[in-house]
Coordinates of all heavy atoms in Angstrom, one line a residue:
L11 N 99.0 132.9 2.5 CA 99.7 132.7 3.7 C 101.1 133.4 3.6 O 101.5 134.1 4.6 CB 99.8 131.2 4.1 CG 100.6 130.9 5.4 CD1 99.9 131.5 6.6 CD2 100.7 129.4 5.5
Y12 N 101.8 133.2 2.5 CA 103.1 133.8 2.3 C 103.1 135.3 2.3 O 103.9 136.0 2.9 CB 103.7 133.2 1.0 CG 105.1 133.9 0.7 CD1 106.2 133.5 1.4 CD2 105.2 134.8 -0.3 CE1 107.5 134.0 1.1 CE2 106.4 135.4 -0.6 CZ 107.6 135.0 0.1 OH 108.8 135.5 -0.2
G13 N 102.0 135.8 1.7 CA 101.9 137.3 1.6 C 101.6 137.8 3.0 O 102.1 138.9 3.3
I14 N 100.9 137.1 3.8 CA 100.6 137.6 5.2 C 101.9 137.6 6.0 O 102.2 138.5 6.8 CB 99.5 136.8 5.8 CG1 98.2 137.0 5.1 CG2 99.4 137.1 7.3 CD1 97.0 136.1 5.6
I15 N 102.6 136.5 5.9 CA 103.9 136.3 6.7 C 104.9 137.4 6.4 O 105.5 138.0 7.3 CB 104.5 134.9 6.4 CG1 103.6 133.8 7.0 CG2 105.9 134.8 7.0 CD1 104.0 132.4 6.7
I16 N 105.0 137.8 5.1 CA 106.0 138.8 4.7 C 105.5 140.2 4.8 O 106.2 141.2 4.5 CB 106.7 138.5 3.4 CG1 105.6 138.7 2.3 CG2 107.3 137.1 3.3 CD1 106.2 138.6 0.9
G17 N 104.2 140.3 5.1 CA 103.6 141.6 5.3 C 103.2 142.3 4.0 O 102.9 143.5 4.0
R18 N 103.1 141.6 2.9 CA 102.7 142.2 1.6 C 101.2 142.0 1.3 O 100.7 142.7 0.4 CB 103.6 141.5 0.5 CG 105.1 141.8 0.6 CD 105.4 143.1 0.1 NE 106.9 143.3 0.1 CZ 107.6 143.0 -1.0 NH1 107.1 142.5 -2.0 NH2 108.9 143.3 -0.9
M19 N 100.6 141.1 2.0 CA 99.2 140.8 1.7 C 98.3 141.7 2.6 O 98.0 141.4 3.7 CB 98.8 139.4 1.9 CG 97.4 139.0 1.7 SD 96.8 139.3 0.0 CE 97.6 138.0 -0.9
T20 N 97.9 142.8 2.0 CA 96.9 143.7 2.7 C 95.5 143.4 2.3 O 95.3 142.6 1.3 CB 97.2 145.2 2.4 OG1 97.0 145.4 1.0 CG2 98.7 145.5 2.7
F21 N 94.5 143.9 3.0 CA 93.1 143.7 2.6 C 92.9 144.3 1.2 O 92.1 143.7 0.5 CB 92.2 144.3 3.7 CG 90.8 144.1 3.3 CD1 90.1 142.9 3.6 CD2 90.0 145.2 2.7 CE1 88.8 142.7 3.3 CE2 88.7 145.0 2.4 CZ 88.1 143.8 2.7
A22 N 93.5 145.4 0.9 CA 93.2 146.0 -0.4 C 93.8 145.1 -1.5 O 93.1 144.9 -2.5 CB 93.9 147.4 -0.4
S23 N 95.0 144.6 -1.3 CA 95.5 143.7 -2.4 C 94.7 142.4 -2.5 O 94.5 141.9 -3.6 CB 97.0 143.4 -2.1 OG 97.2 142.8 -0.9
F24 N 94.3 141.9 -1.3 CA 93.5 140.7 -1.4 C 92.2 140.9 -2.1 O 91.7 140.1 -2.9 CB 93.2 140.2 0.1 CG 92.3 139.0 0.2 CD1 92.8 137.7 0.0 CD2 91.0 139.1 0.4 CE1 92.0 136.6 0.0 CE2 90.1 138.0 0.5 CZ 90.6 136.8 0.3
W25 N 91.5 142.0 -1.8 CA 90.3 142.4 -2.5 C 90.5 142.5 -4.0 O 89.6 142.1 -4.8 CB 89.7 143.6 -1.8 CG 88.3 144.0 -2.4 CD1 88.0 145.1 -3.1 CD2 87.1 143.3 -2.2 NE1 86.7 145.1 -3.4 CE2 86.1 144.0 -2.9 CE3 86.8 142.1 -1.5 CZ2 84.8 143.6 -2.9 CZ3 85.5 141.7 -1.5 CH2 84.5 142.5 -2.2
A26 N 91.6 143.2 -4.4 CA 91.8 143.4 -5.8 C 92.0 142.0 -6.5 O 91.5 141.8 -7.6 CB 93.1 144.2 -6.0
A27 N 92.8 141.1 -5.8 CA 93.0 139.8 -6.4 C 91.7 139.0 -6.5 O 91.4 138.3 -7.5 CB 94.0 139.0 -5.5
A28 N 90.8 139.1 -5.5 CA 89.6 138.5 -5.5 C 88.7 139.0 -6.7 O 88.0 138.2 -7.4 CB 88.8 138.7 -4.2
K29 N 88.7 140.3 -6.9 CA 87.9 140.8 -8.0 C 88.4 140.3 -9.3 O 87.6 140.0 -10.2 CB 87.9 142.4 -7.9 CG 87.1 142.9 -6.8 CD 86.8 144.4 -7.0 CE 88.1 145.2 -6.9 NZ 87.9 146.7 -7.0
D30 N 89.8 140.3 -9.5 CA 90.3 139.8 -10.7 C 89.9 138.3 -11.0 O 89.6 137.9 -12.1 CB 91.9 139.9 -10.7 CG 92.3 141.3 -10.9 OD1 91.5 142.1 -11.3 OD2 93.5 141.6 -10.6
S31 N 89.9 137.5 -9.9 CA 89.5 136.1 -10.0 C 88.1 136.0 -10.4 O 87.7 135.1 -11.2 CB 89.8 135.4 -8.7 OG 91.1 135.4 -8.3
I32 N 87.2 136.8 -9.9 CA 85.8 136.8 -10.2 C 85.6 137.2 -11.7 O 84.8 136.5 -12.4 CB 85.0 137.8 -9.3 CG1 85.0 137.2 -7.9 CG2 83.6 137.9 -9.8 CD1 84.4 138.2 -6.9
V33 N 86.3 138.2 -12.2 CA 86.2 138.6 -13.6 C 86.6 137.5 -14.5 O 86.0 137.2 -15.5 CB 87.0 139.9 -13.8 CG1 87.1 140.2 -15.3 CG2 86.4 141.1 -13.1
T34 N 87.8 136.8 -14.1 CA 88.3 135.7 -15.0 C 87.3 134.6 -15.0 O 87.0 134.0 -16.1 CB 89.6 135.2 -14.4 OG1 90.6 136.3 -14.4 CG2 90.2 134.1 -15.3
T35 N 86.7 134.2 -13.8 CA 85.8 133.1 -13.8 C 84.5 133.4 -14.6 O 84.0 132.6 -15.3 CB 85.4 132.8 -12.3 OG1 86.6 132.6 -11.6 CG2 84.5 131.6 -12.2
A36 N 84.0 134.7 -14.4 CA 82.8 135.1 -15.1 C 83.0 135.1 -16.6 O 82.2 134.6 -17.4 CB 82.4 136.5 -14.7
T37 N 84.2 135.5 -17.0 CA 84.6 135.5 -18.5 C 84.5 134.1 -19.0 O 83.9 133.8 -20.1 CB 86.0 136.1 -18.7 OG1 86.0 137.4 -18.2 CG2 86.3 136.1 -20.2
V38 N 85.2 133.1 -18.3 CA 85.2 131.7 -18.8 C 83.8 131.2 -18.8 O 83.4 130.5 -19.8 CB 86.1 130.9 -17.8 CG1 85.9 129.4 -18.1 CG2 87.5 131.3 -17.9
M39 N 82.9 131.5 -17.8 CA 81.6 130.9 -17.8 C 80.7 131.5 -18.9 O 79.9 130.8 -19.6 CB 80.9 131.3 -16.5 CG 81.5 130.6 -15.3 SD 81.7 128.8 -15.5 CE 80.0 128.3 -15.6
L40 N 80.9 132.8 -19.3 CA 80.2 133.3 -20.4 C 80.6 132.7 -21.7 O 79.8 132.5 -22.6 CB 80.4 134.9 -20.5 CG 79.7 135.7 -19.4 CD1 80.2 137.1 -19.4 CD2 78.2 135.6 -19.6
I41 N 81.9 132.4 -21.8 CA 82.4 131.7 -23.0 C 81.7 130.3 -23.2 O 81.3 129.9 -24.2 CB 83.9 131.6 -23.0 CG1 84.6 133.0 -23.2 CG2 84.4 130.6 -24.1 CD1 86.1 133.0 -22.9
L42 N 81.6 129.6 -22.0 CA 81.1 128.3 -22.0 C 79.6 128.3 -22.3 O 79.0 127.5 -23.0 CB 81.3 127.6 -20.7 CG 82.8 127.3 -20.4 CD1 83.0 126.7 -19.0 CD2 83.4 126.4 -21.5
I43 N 78.9 129.4 -21.8 CA 77.5 129.5 -22.1 C 77.3 129.7 -23.6 O 76.4 129.1 -24.2 CB 76.9 130.7 -21.3 CG1 76.8 130.4 -19.8 CG2 75.5 131.1 -21.8 CD1 76.5 131.6 -18.9
A44 N 78.1 130.6 -24.2 CA 78.0 130.8 -25.6 C 78.3 129.5 -26.4 O 77.6 129.2 -27.4 CB 79.0 131.9 -26.0
A45 N 79.2 128.7 -25.9 CA 79.5 127.4 -26.6 C 78.3 126.5 -26.6 O 78.0 125.9 -27.6 CB 80.7 126.8 -25.9
H46 N 77.6 126.5 -25.4 CA 76.4 125.6 -25.3 C 75.3 126.1 -26.2 O 74.4 125.4 -26.6 CB 76.0 125.5 -23.9 CG 76.9 124.6 -23.1 ND1 77.0 123.3 -23.3 CD2 77.7 124.9 -22.0 CE1 77.9 122.7 -22.4 NE2 78.3 123.7 -21.7
M47 N 75.3 127.4 -26.5 CA 74.3 127.9 -27.4 C 74.6 127.6 -28.9 O 73.7 127.4 -29.7 CB 74.1 129.5 -27.2 CG 73.6 129.9 -25.9 SD 73.7 131.7 -25.6 CE 72.6 132.2 -26.9
I48 N 75.9 127.6 -29.2 CA 76.3 127.4 -30.6 C 76.3 126.0 -31.0 O 75.9 125.6 -32.1 CB 77.8 128.0 -30.8 CG1 77.7 129.5 -30.6 CG2 78.3 127.6 -32.1 CD1 79.1 130.1 -30.6
N49 N 76.6 125.1 -30.0 CA 76.7 123.6 -30.4 C 75.5 123.0 -31.0 O 75.5 122.3 -32.0 CB 77.2 122.8 -29.1 CG 78.6 123.1 -28.8 OD1 79.4 123.7 -29.6 ND2 79.1 122.7 -27.6
P50 N 74.3 123.3 -30.4 CA 73.1 122.7 -31.0 C 72.8 123.2 -32.4 O 72.4 122.5 -33.3 CB 71.9 123.2 -30.0 CG 72.6 123.5 -28.7 CD 74.0 124.0 -29.1
F51 N 73.1 124.5 -32.6 CA 73.0 125.0 -34.0 C 73.9 124.3 -35.0 O 73.4 123.9 -36.1 CB 73.3 126.5 -34.0 CG 73.4 127.1 -35.4 CD1 72.3 127.4 -36.2 CD2 74.7 127.4 -35.9 CE1 72.5 127.9 -37.5 CE2 74.9 127.9 -37.2 CZ 73.8 128.1 -38.0

């Protein structure tokens, strides 16, 4: 909301931020999947 108000939040910057968030989330999930594979061993 702040980015939109001051005119700094463009669709391109929003899309870039969204992609970064997806990459971070996917990275964490892959780490947790690996953890669940290692724990039984």
Side-chain angles (χ1 to χ4, degrees):
L11 180 62
Y12 177 74
I14 293 173
I15 291 173
I16 65 174
R18 296 281 185 87
M19 178 61 73
T20 63
F21 180 78
S23 61
F24 176 81
W25 184 248
K29 287 194 294 183
D30 285 345
S31 299
I32 291 171
V33 169
T34 300
T35 304
T37 302
V38 171
M39 293 308 298
L40 286 172
I41 290 170
L42 296 177
I43 290 170
H46 287 295
M47 294 172 64
I48 292 172
N49 287 350
F51 167 76

